[in-house]
Amino acid sequence: MITISEATVNDLKIIQEIAHKTWPLTYGEILSKEQLDYMLNLIYSDEALKDQFQKKEQLFYLISDAESTLGFIGIEHQYKNGAVTRIHKIYLLPETQGKGIGKTVMEEIEKLALQNNSTALSLNVNRFNNALRFYQKLGFEVTDEVDIEIGNGYLMEDYVMEKRI
């Protein structure tokens, strides 16, 4: 059985381990190693994560089964003061992918969103990420295309996707 529990600042190392295992496989063919390393440090350094936890702009949850932690999510309710739950992060260990866990996690996010009076889910996905098809199968639609400068001359080339709930 899959459980989703709110993470605390004591879970930083677990989140970092999962990010460092999933990102090279998720983005290794899309981004240069230099950009990958830059982004991992930018988003998942101790300082960056502590800051994210402290500001509570997004809530982190760990995804587990009976034996171990399988992944994590970062979500924000009332995104931009609207009735939207924003999925900032959703990462599952490579060995868990293709087993229906991602779909289960998305269903749980939808429940959390409804509990927080959201009428839609929103996320960004890299335009070249294979997860795009996964999100489309779950009912997400592309609503915009954005290029986000993240520093050091790097861009995030994303689709903005939304699903009404």
Side-chain angles (χ1 to χ4, degrees):
M1 183 171 118
I2 302 301
T3 60
I4 297 178
S5 56
E6 193 165 346
T8 70
V9 74
N10 296 329
D11 297 314
L12 294 185
K13 293 295 178 216
I14 294 168
I15 291 168
Q16 289 168 328
E17 283 177 28
I18 292 167
H20 283 268
K21 286 180 183 174
T22 57
W23 273 54
L25 291 169
T26 302
Y27 302 111
E29 293 181 13
I30 300 170
L31 307 175
S32 69
K33 177 163 181 2
E34 293 77 20
Q35 183 172 352
L36 195 68
D37 292 342
Y38 174 81
M39 290 179 70
L40 277 168
N41 185 56
L42 181 72
I43 300 168
Y44 295 103
S45 68
D46 285 346
E47 280 182 25
L49 281 173
K50 284 177 185 173
D51 187 54
Q52 291 174 67
F53 270 91
Q54 193 172 43
K55 288 182 179 172
K56 292 188 187 263
E57 291 171 348
Q58 61 183 291
L59 302 173
F60 284 83
Y61 293 85
L62 298 179
I63 303 158
S64 306
D65 63 10
E67 299 164 18
S68 62
T69 303
L70 308 174
F72 69 92
I73 59 175
I75 62 174
E76 176 184 354
H77 301 295
Q78 288 85 46
Y79 179 66
K80 293 187 177 178
N81 296 313
V84 175
T85 292
R86 178 74 166 179
I87 304 168
H88 290 284
K89 300 169 177 65
I90 178 168
Y91 293 102
L92 290 168
L93 291 172
E95 60 269 22
T96 68
Q97 295 177 9
K99 297 180 179 180
I101 296 170
K103 184 174 186 246
T104 298
V105 169
M106 292 301 283
E107 289 167 355
E108 291 300 314
I109 292 171
E110 193 168 316
K111 287 178 192 172
L112 290 168
L114 289 169
Q115 290 168 8
N116 284 275
N117 303 313
S118 290
T119 58
L121 298 175
S122 170
L123 58 83
N124 279 23
V125 63
N126 182 287
R127 293 195 291 264
F128 308 102
N129 188 332
N130 290 332
L132 174 64
R133 286 185 290 285
F134 169 74
Y135 296 128
Q136 288 171 324
K137 279 174 55 175
L138 294 178
F140 283 82
E141 296 178 359
V142 174
T143 60
D144 200 3
E145 189 173 306
V146 295
D147 291 331
I148 303 165
E149 291 185 33
I150 56 168
N152 226 28
Y154 296 125
L155 283 178
M156 291 193 322
E157 300 169 297
D158 291 350
Y159 287 126
V160 178
M161 300 188 81
E162 192 168 287
K163 176 184 177 182
R164 305 307 272 156
I165 54 174

